[in-house]
Coordinates of all heavy atoms in Angstrom, one line a residue:
M1 N -73.0 324.4 195.5 CA -73.0 323.1 194.7 C -71.6 322.5 195.0 O -70.6 323.1 194.8 CB -73.1 323.4 193.2 CG -73.2 322.2 192.4 SD -73.8 322.5 190.7 CE -72.3 323.2 189.9
K2 N -71.6 321.3 195.4 CA -70.4 320.5 195.7 C -70.0 319.7 194.5 O -70.9 319.0 193.9 CB -70.5 319.6 196.9 CG -70.9 320.4 198.2 CD -69.6 320.9 198.8 CE -69.9 321.4 200.3 NZ -70.5 322.7 200.3
I3 N -68.8 319.8 194.1 CA -68.4 319.0 192.9 C -67.1 318.3 193.1 O -66.3 318.5 194.0 CB -68.1 320.0 191.7 CG1 -67.0 321.1 192.1 CG2 -69.4 320.7 191.3 CD1 -66.2 321.5 190.9
V4 N -66.9 317.3 192.2 CA -65.6 316.7 192.2 C -65.1 316.9 190.7 O -65.8 316.5 189.8 CB -65.6 315.2 192.6 CG1 -66.7 314.4 191.9 CG2 -64.2 314.6 192.4
C5 N -63.9 317.5 190.6 CA -63.4 317.8 189.3 C -62.7 316.6 188.6 O -61.9 316.0 189.3 CB -62.4 319.0 189.4 SG -61.7 319.5 187.8
S6 N -63.1 316.4 187.4 CA -62.4 315.2 186.7 C -61.1 315.5 186.2 O -60.3 314.7 185.8 CB -63.3 314.6 185.7 OG -64.3 315.5 185.2
D7 N -60.7 316.8 186.1 CA -59.4 317.2 185.6 C -58.3 317.3 186.7 O -57.3 316.7 186.5 CB -59.5 318.6 184.9 CG -60.2 318.4 183.5 OD1 -60.1 317.4 182.9 OD2 -60.9 319.4 183.1
C8 N -58.7 317.9 187.8 CA -57.6 318.1 188.8 C -58.0 317.5 190.1 O -57.3 317.6 191.1 CB -57.3 319.6 189.0 SG -58.7 320.5 189.7
R9 N -59.1 316.7 190.2 CA -59.5 316.0 191.4 C -59.9 316.9 192.5 O -59.8 316.5 193.7 CB -58.3 315.1 191.9 CG -57.9 314.1 190.8 CD -58.5 312.7 191.0 NE -59.1 312.2 189.8 CZ -60.3 311.7 189.7 NH1 -61.1 311.7 190.6 NH2 -60.7 311.2 188.5
Y10 N -60.2 318.2 192.2 CA -60.6 319.1 193.3 C -62.0 318.6 193.8 O -62.9 318.3 193.1 CB -60.7 320.5 192.7 CG -61.4 321.5 193.6 CD1 -60.8 322.1 194.6 CD2 -62.8 321.7 193.4 CE1 -61.4 323.0 195.4 CE2 -63.5 322.6 194.2 CZ -62.8 323.3 195.2 OH -63.5 324.2 196.0
V11 N -62.1 318.7 195.1 CA -63.4 318.4 195.7 C -63.9 319.6 196.6 O -63.1 320.0 197.4 CB -63.3 317.1 196.6 CG1 -64.7 316.8 197.2 CG2 -62.9 315.9 195.8
G12 N -65.0 320.0 196.3 CA -65.5 321.2 197.1 C -66.5 322.0 196.3 O -67.2 321.4 195.5
N13 N -66.7 323.2 196.7 CA -67.6 324.1 196.1 C -67.2 324.5 194.7 O -66.1 324.9 194.4 CB -67.9 325.3 196.9 CG -68.8 325.1 198.0 OD1 -69.9 324.5 197.8 ND2 -68.5 325.5 199.2
A14 N -68.2 324.5 193.8 CA -68.0 325.1 192.4 C -68.1 326.6 192.6 O -68.7 327.1 193.4 CB -69.0 324.5 191.5
V15 N -67.4 327.3 191.7 CA -67.5 328.7 191.7 C -68.0 329.2 190.4 O -67.9 328.6 189.4 CB -66.1 329.4 192.0 CG1 -65.7 329.2 193.5 CG2 -65.0 328.9 191.1
E16 N -68.5 330.5 190.4 CA -69.0 331.1 189.2 C -67.8 331.7 188.5 O -67.1 332.5 189.0 CB -70.0 332.1 189.6 CG -70.9 332.5 188.4 CD -72.0 333.4 188.9 OE1 -71.8 334.6 189.3 OE2 -73.2 332.9 188.9
L17 N -67.7 331.3 187.3 CA -66.5 331.7 186.5 C -67.1 332.5 185.3 O -68.2 332.4 184.9 CB -65.7 330.6 186.0 CG -65.1 329.7 187.0 CD1 -64.6 328.4 186.4 CD2 -63.9 330.4 187.7
K18 N -66.2 333.4 184.8 CA -66.6 334.2 183.7 C -65.9 333.6 182.4 O -64.8 333.2 182.4 CB -66.1 335.7 183.9 CG -67.0 336.5 184.8 CD -66.5 337.9 184.9 CE -67.4 338.7 185.8 NZ -66.8 340.0 186.1
K19 N -66.7 333.7 181.3 CA -66.2 333.2 180.1 C -65.2 334.3 179.5 O -65.3 335.5 179.9 CB -67.3 333.0 179.1 CG -68.1 331.7 179.2 CD -69.1 331.6 178.2 CE -70.1 330.5 178.5 NZ -71.3 330.5 177.6
G20 N -64.4 333.9 178.6 CA -63.4 334.8 178.1 C -62.3 335.1 179.0 O -62.3 334.6 180.1
S21 N -61.4 336.0 178.6 CA -60.3 336.2 179.5 C -60.1 337.7 179.7 O -60.5 338.5 178.9 CB -59.0 335.7 178.9 OG -58.7 336.4 177.8
R22 N -59.6 338.0 180.9 CA -59.4 339.4 181.3 C -58.3 340.0 180.4 O -58.5 341.2 180.0 CB -58.8 339.4 182.7 CG -58.6 340.7 183.4 CD -59.8 341.1 184.3 NE -59.9 342.5 184.4 CZ -61.0 343.2 184.4 NH1 -62.2 342.5 184.3 NH2 -61.1 344.5 184.5
R23 N -57.4 339.3 180.0 CA -56.3 339.8 179.1 C -56.9 340.2 177.7 O -56.5 341.3 177.2 CB -55.2 338.7 178.9 CG -53.8 339.3 178.7 CD -52.8 338.3 178.4 NE -52.5 337.5 179.6 CZ -51.8 336.3 179.6 NH1 -51.3 335.9 178.5 NH2 -51.6 335.7 180.7
K24 N -57.7 339.4 177.2 CA -58.4 339.7 175.9 C -59.2 340.9 176.1 O -59.2 341.8 175.2 CB -59.2 338.5 175.5 CG -59.4 338.4 174.0 CD -60.4 337.3 173.6 CE -59.7 335.9 173.5 NZ -60.7 334.9 173.2
E25 N -59.9 341.0 177.2 CA -60.7 342.2 177.4 C -59.9 343.5 177.4 O -60.3 344.5 176.8 CB -61.4 342.0 178.8 CG -62.5 343.0 179.1 CD -63.2 342.7 180.4 OE1 -63.0 341.6 181.0 OE2 -64.0 343.5 180.8
I26 N -58.8 343.4 178.1 CA -57.9 344.6 178.2 C -57.3 345.0 176.8 O -57.3 346.1 176.4 CB -56.8 344.4 179.2 CG1 -57.4 344.4 180.6 CG2 -55.7 345.5 179.1 CD1 -56.5 343.8 181.7
A27 N -56.9 343.9 176.1 CA -56.4 344.1 174.8 C -57.4 344.8 173.8 O -57.1 345.7 173.1 CB -55.9 342.8 174.2
L28 N -58.6 344.3 173.9 CA -59.7 344.9 173.1 C -59.9 346.3 173.5 O -60.1 347.2 172.6 CB -61.0 344.1 173.3 CG -61.2 342.9 172.3 CD1 -62.4 342.1 172.8 CD2 -61.3 343.3 170.9
W29 N -59.9 346.6 174.8 CA -60.1 348.0 175.2 C -59.0 348.9 174.7 O -59.3 350.1 174.4 CB -60.1 348.0 176.8 CG -61.5 347.8 177.3 CD1 -62.0 346.7 177.9 CD2 -62.6 348.8 177.4 NE1 -63.3 346.9 178.3 CE2 -63.7 348.2 178.0 CE3 -62.7 350.1 177.0 CZ2 -64.9 348.8 178.2 CZ3 -63.9 350.8 177.2 CH2 -65.0 350.1 177.8
C30 N -57.8 348.4 174.7 CA -56.7 349.2 174.3 C -56.7 349.5 172.8 O -56.4 350.6 172.4 CB -55.4 348.5 174.6 SG -55.1 348.5 176.4
C31 N -57.0 348.5 172.0 CA -57.0 348.7 170.6 C -58.3 349.3 170.0 O -58.2 350.3 169.3 CB -56.8 347.3 169.9 SG -55.4 346.4 170.5
L32 N -59.4 348.8 170.4 CA -60.7 349.2 169.9 C -61.6 349.5 171.0 O -61.9 348.6 171.9 CB -61.2 348.2 168.9 CG -60.4 347.8 167.8 CD1 -60.6 346.3 167.5 CD2 -60.7 348.6 166.5
F33 N -62.2 350.6 171.1 CA -63.1 350.9 172.2 C -64.4 350.1 172.2 O -64.7 349.5 173.2 CB -63.3 352.4 172.2 CG -64.3 352.9 173.3 CD1 -63.9 352.9 174.6 CD2 -65.6 353.2 173.0 CE1 -64.8 353.3 175.6 CE2 -66.5 353.6 174.0 CZ -66.1 353.6 175.3
L34 N -65.1 350.2 171.1 CA -66.4 349.5 171.1 C -66.4 348.0 171.4 O -67.2 347.5 172.2 CB -67.1 349.9 169.8 CG -68.0 351.1 169.9 CD1 -68.7 351.4 168.6 CD2 -69.1 351.0 171.0
P35 N -65.6 347.3 170.6 CA -65.6 345.8 170.9 C -65.2 345.5 172.3 O -65.8 344.6 172.9 CB -64.5 345.3 170.0 CG -64.4 346.3 168.9 CD -64.7 347.6 169.5
G36 N -64.3 346.3 172.9 CA -64.0 346.1 174.3 C -65.2 346.3 175.2 O -65.4 345.5 176.1
L37 N -66.0 347.3 174.9 CA -67.2 347.6 175.7 C -68.1 346.4 175.6 O -68.7 346.0 176.6 CB -67.8 348.9 175.2 CG -69.1 349.3 175.9 CD1 -68.8 349.8 177.3 CD2 -69.7 350.5 175.1
F38 N -68.4 345.9 174.4 CA -69.3 344.8 174.2 C -68.8 343.5 174.9 O -69.5 342.8 175.5 CB -69.5 344.5 172.7 CG -70.4 345.5 172.1 CD1 -70.1 346.2 170.9 CD2 -71.7 345.8 172.6 CE1 -70.9 347.2 170.3 CE2 -72.5 346.7 172.0 CZ -72.1 347.4 170.9
Y39 N -67.5 343.3 174.8 CA -66.9 342.2 175.4 C -67.1 342.2 176.9 O -67.4 341.2 177.5 CB -65.4 342.1 175.0 CG -64.7 340.8 175.3 CD1 -65.0 339.7 174.6 CD2 -63.8 340.7 176.4 CE1 -64.4 338.5 174.8 CE2 -63.1 339.5 176.6 CZ -63.5 338.4 175.8 OH -62.8 337.2 176.1
T40 N -66.9 343.4 177.5 CA -67.1 343.5 178.9 C -68.5 343.3 179.3 O -68.8 342.5 180.3 CB -66.7 344.9 179.4 OG1 -65.3 345.2 179.0 CG2 -66.8 345.1 180.9
L41 N -69.4 343.8 178.5 CA -70.8 343.6 178.8 C -71.2 342.2 178.7 O -72.0 341.6 179.5 CB -71.7 344.5 177.8 CG -71.7 346.0 178.1 CD1 -72.5 346.7 177.0 CD2 -72.3 346.3 179.5
W42 N -70.6 341.5 177.7 CA -70.9 340.1 177.5 C -70.5 339.2 178.6 O -71.1 338.4 179.1 CB -70.3 339.6 176.2 CG -70.4 338.1 176.0 CD1 -71.5 337.4 175.7 CD2 -69.3 337.2 176.1 NE1 -71.1 336.1 175.6 CE2 -69.8 335.9 175.8 CE3 -67.9 337.3 176.3 CZ2 -69.0 334.8 175.8 CZ3 -67.1 336.2 176.3 CH2 -67.7 334.9 176.1
R43 N -69.3 339.6 179.1 CA -68.7 338.8 180.2 C -69.5 339.0 181.5 O -69.6 338.2 182.4 CB -67.2 339.2 180.5 CG -66.3 338.7 179.4 CD -64.9 338.9 179.8 NE -64.5 338.1 181.0 CZ -63.5 338.4 181.8 NH1 -62.7 339.4 181.5 NH2 -63.2 337.6 182.8
Q44 N -70.1 340.2 181.6 CA -70.8 340.5 182.9 C -72.3 340.0 182.8 O -72.9 339.9 183.8 CB -70.8 342.1 183.1 CG -69.5 342.5 183.8 CD -69.3 344.0 183.8 OE1 -70.1 344.7 183.3 NE2 -68.2 344.4 184.4
S45 N -72.7 339.7 181.6 CA -74.1 339.2 181.5 C -74.1 337.8 182.0 O -73.1 337.1 182.2 CB -74.6 339.3 180.0 OG -73.9 338.3 179.3
T46 N -75.3 337.3 182.2 CA -75.4 335.9 182.7 C -74.9 334.9 181.7 O -74.5 333.8 182.1 CB -76.9 335.6 183.1 OG1 -77.8 336.1 182.1 CG2 -77.3 336.1 184.5
D47 N -75.0 335.3 180.4 CA -74.5 334.4 179.4 C -73.0 334.1 179.6 O -72.5 333.0 179.2 CB -74.7 335.0 178.0 CG -76.1 334.9 177.5 OD1 -76.9 334.3 178.2 OD2 -76.4 335.3 176.4
G48 N -72.3 335.1 180.0 CA -70.9 335.0 180.1 C -70.4 334.3 181.4 O -69.2 334.2 181.7
K49 N -71.4 333.7 182.2 CA -71.0 333.1 183.4 C -71.3 331.6 183.4 O -72.2 331.2 182.8 CB -71.7 333.7 184.6 CG -71.2 335.1 185.0 CD -71.9 335.6 186.2 CE -71.4 337.0 186.4 NZ -72.5 337.8 187.0
Y50 N -70.5 330.8 184.1 CA -70.7 329.4 184.2 C -70.1 328.9 185.5 O -69.3 329.5 186.1 CB -70.2 328.7 183.0 CG -68.7 328.7 182.9 CD1 -67.9 327.7 183.3 CD2 -68.0 329.9 182.3 CE1 -66.5 327.8 183.2 CE2 -66.7 329.9 182.2 CZ -65.9 328.9 182.7 OH -64.5 328.9 182.6
M51 N -70.6 327.8 185.9 CA -70.1 327.2 187.1 C -68.9 326.3 186.7 O -68.9 325.6 185.7 CB -71.2 326.3 187.8 CG -72.4 327.0 188.3 SD -72.0 328.4 189.4 CE -71.7 327.5 190.9
G52 N -67.9 326.4 187.5 CA -66.7 325.6 187.2 C -65.8 325.3 188.4 O -66.1 325.8 189.5
C53 N -64.7 324.6 188.2 CA -63.8 324.3 189.2 C -62.9 325.5 189.6 O -62.4 326.1 188.7 CB -62.9 323.1 188.7 SG -61.5 322.8 189.7
P54 N -62.8 325.8 190.9 CA -62.0 327.0 191.2 C -60.5 326.8 191.0 O -59.8 327.8 191.0 CB -62.4 327.2 192.7 CG -62.8 325.9 193.2 CD -63.5 325.2 192.0
Q55 N -60.1 325.5 190.9 CA -58.7 325.3 190.8 C -58.2 325.3 189.4 O -57.1 325.9 189.2 CB -58.4 323.9 191.4 CG -57.0 323.8 192.0 CD -57.0 322.7 193.0 OE1 -57.2 322.8 194.2 NE2 -56.7 321.5 192.5
C56 N -58.9 324.7 188.5 CA -58.4 324.7 187.1 C -59.4 325.3 186.1 O -59.1 325.3 184.9 CB -58.1 323.2 186.7 SG -59.6 322.2 186.6
S57 N -60.4 325.9 186.6 CA -61.4 326.6 185.8 C -62.1 325.6 184.8 O -62.7 326.0 183.9 CB -60.8 327.8 185.0 OG -60.2 328.6 185.9
G58 N -61.9 324.3 185.1 CA -62.5 323.3 184.2 C -64.0 323.2 184.4 O -64.5 323.6 185.5
T59 N -64.7 322.6 183.4 CA -66.1 322.4 183.6 C -66.4 320.9 183.6 O -67.6 320.6 183.6 CB -66.9 323.1 182.5 OG1 -66.3 322.8 181.2 CG2 -66.9 324.6 182.7
R60 N -65.4 320.1 183.5 CA -65.7 318.7 183.5 C -65.6 318.2 184.9 O -64.6 317.8 185.5 CB -64.6 318.0 182.7 CG -64.6 318.4 181.2 CD -63.9 317.5 180.3 NE -62.5 317.3 180.7 CZ -61.9 316.1 180.7 NH1 -62.6 315.0 180.3 NH2 -60.7 316.0 181.1
F61 N -66.8 318.3 185.6 CA -66.9 317.8 186.9 C -68.2 317.1 187.1 O -69.1 317.1 186.3 CB -66.8 319.0 187.9 CG -67.8 320.1 187.7 CD1 -69.2 319.9 188.1 CD2 -67.5 321.3 187.1 CE1 -70.1 320.9 187.9 CE2 -68.5 322.3 186.8 CZ -69.8 322.0 187.2
R62 N -68.2 316.4 188.3 CA -69.4 315.6 188.6 C -70.0 316.3 189.9 O -69.2 316.7 190.8 CB -69.0 314.2 188.9 CG -70.1 313.2 189.0 CD -69.5 311.8 189.0 NE -68.7 311.5 190.2 CZ -69.2 311.2 191.3 NH1 -70.5 311.1 191.5 NH2 -68.4 311.0 192.4
T63 N -71.3 316.5 189.9 CA -71.9 317.0 191.1 C -72.0 316.0 192.2 O -72.4 314.8 191.9 CB -73.3 317.6 190.8 OG1 -73.2 318.3 189.6 CG2 -73.8 318.5 191.9
L64 N -71.6 316.4 193.4 CA -71.6 315.4 194.5 C -73.0 315.3 195.1 O -73.7 316.4 195.3 CB -70.6 315.8 195.6 CG -69.2 315.4 195.3 CD1 -68.3 315.9 196.5 CD2 -69.0 314.0 195.1
K65 N -73.4 314.2 195.5 CA -74.7 314.0 196.2 C -74.4 314.4 197.6 O -73.3 314.3 198.1 CB -75.2 312.6 196.1 CG -75.7 312.2 194.7 CD -76.3 310.8 194.7 CE -76.5 310.3 193.2 NZ -75.2 309.9 192.6
R66 N -75.4 314.7 198.3 CA -75.3 315.1 199.7 C -74.7 314.0 200.6 O -73.8 314.3 201.4 CB -76.8 315.4 200.3 CG -76.8 316.5 201.2 CD -78.2 316.6 201.9 NE -78.1 317.2 203.2 CZ -77.7 318.4 203.4 NH1 -77.3 319.2 202.4 NH2 -77.5 318.9 204.7
R67 N -75.1 312.8 200.3 CA -74.5 311.7 201.0 C -73.0 311.5 200.8 O -72.2 311.2 201.6 CB -75.3 310.4 200.6 CG -75.0 309.2 201.4 CD -75.9 308.1 200.9 NE -75.8 307.9 199.5 CZ -74.8 307.2 198.9 NH1 -73.8 306.7 199.6 NH2 -74.7 307.1 197.6
E68 N -72.6 311.7 199.5 CA -71.2 311.6 199.1 C -70.4 312.7 199.8 O -69.3 312.4 200.2 CB -71.1 311.7 197.6 CG -71.6 310.5 196.8 CD -71.5 310.6 195.3 OE1 -72.1 311.7 194.8 OE2 -70.9 309.8 194.7
W69 N -70.9 313.9 199.9 CA -70.2 315.0 200.5 C -70.0 314.7 202.0 O -69.0 315.0 202.5 CB -71.0 316.3 200.2 CG -70.3 317.4 201.0 CD1 -70.8 318.1 202.0 CD2 -69.0 318.0 200.7 NE1 -69.9 319.0 202.4 CE2 -68.8 319.0 201.6 CE3 -68.1 317.8 199.7 CZ2 -67.7 319.8 201.6 CZ3 -66.9 318.5 199.7 CH2 -66.7 319.5 200.7
K70 N -71.1 314.2 202.6 CA -71.0 313.9 204.0 C -69.9 312.9 204.3 O -69.1 313.0 205.2 CB -72.3 313.3 204.5 CG -73.4 314.4 204.8 CD -73.2 314.9 206.2 CE -74.0 316.2 206.5 NZ -73.6 317.4 205.7
E71 N -69.8 311.9 203.4 CA -68.8 310.8 203.5 C -67.4 311.4 203.3 O -66.5 311.1 204.0 CB -69.1 309.8 202.4 CG -68.1 308.6 202.3 CD -68.4 307.6 203.3 OE1 -69.5 307.6 203.9 OE2 -67.5 306.7 203.6
F72 N -67.3 312.4 202.4 CA -66.0 313.0 202.1 C -65.6 313.8 203.3 O -64.4 313.8 203.7 CB -66.1 313.9 200.9 CG -64.8 314.6 200.6 CD1 -63.7 314.0 200.0 CD2 -64.7 316.0 200.9 CE1 -62.5 314.6 199.8 CE2 -63.5 316.7 200.7 CZ -62.4 316.0 200.1
E73 N -66.5 314.6 203.9 CA -66.2 315.4 205.1 C -65.8 314.5 206.3 O -64.9 314.9 207.1 CB -67.5 316.1 205.6 CG -67.6 317.5 204.9 CD -68.7 318.3 205.6 OE1 -69.8 317.7 205.9 OE2 -68.6 319.5 205.7
R74 N -66.3 313.4 206.4 CA -66.0 312.5 207.5 C -64.7 311.7 207.3 O -63.9 311.7 208.2 CB -67.2 311.5 207.7 CG -67.3 310.8 209.0 CD -68.7 310.2 209.2 NE -69.0 309.3 208.1 CZ -68.6 308.0 208.0 NH1 -67.9 307.5 209.0 NH2 -68.9 307.3 207.0
T75 N -64.5 311.2 206.1 CA -63.3 310.4 205.9 C -62.2 311.0 205.1 O -61.1 310.6 205.1 CB -63.8 309.1 205.2 OG1 -64.3 309.4 203.9 CG2 -64.8 308.3 206.0
G76 N -62.6 312.1 204.4 CA -61.6 312.8 203.6 C -61.3 312.1 202.3 O -60.5 312.4 201.5
A77 N -62.2 311.1 202.0 CA -62.1 310.4 200.7 C -63.5 310.2 200.2 O -64.4 310.1 200.9 CB -61.4 309.0 200.9
L78 N -63.5 310.1 198.9 CA -64.8 309.9 198.3 C -65.2 308.4 198.3 O -64.3 307.6 198.0 CB -64.8 310.4 196.8 CG -64.8 311.9 196.7 CD1 -64.6 312.3 195.2 CD2 -66.2 312.5 197.2
P79 N -66.5 308.1 198.5 CA -66.9 306.7 198.4 C -66.8 306.2 197.0 O -67.2 307.0 196.1 CB -68.3 306.7 198.9 CG -68.8 308.1 198.7 CD -67.6 309.0 198.8
S80 N -66.2 305.1 196.8 CA -66.0 304.7 195.4 C -67.2 303.8 194.9 O -67.9 303.3 195.7 CB -64.7 303.9 195.3 OG -64.6 302.9 196.3
Ligands
ZN101 ZN1 -60.4 321.2 188.4

């Protein structure tokens, strides 16, 4: 999926991102065993994943149409 990010102007492929943070996961694991386990499982489940911008992890993006992407590849700029 090709996207244009409205936050950082990134243009290219969206990536699959995980919800939550690695740091929180580690903190939970260190303090409490069970919540850490559930948190890890939640992040690994499909619920914990979403498509987003690889540059700023934002989800405010617009999906590019095939024609728009072709135009970007050719000229390096998006058709306005
Ligand atoms: Zn972005």
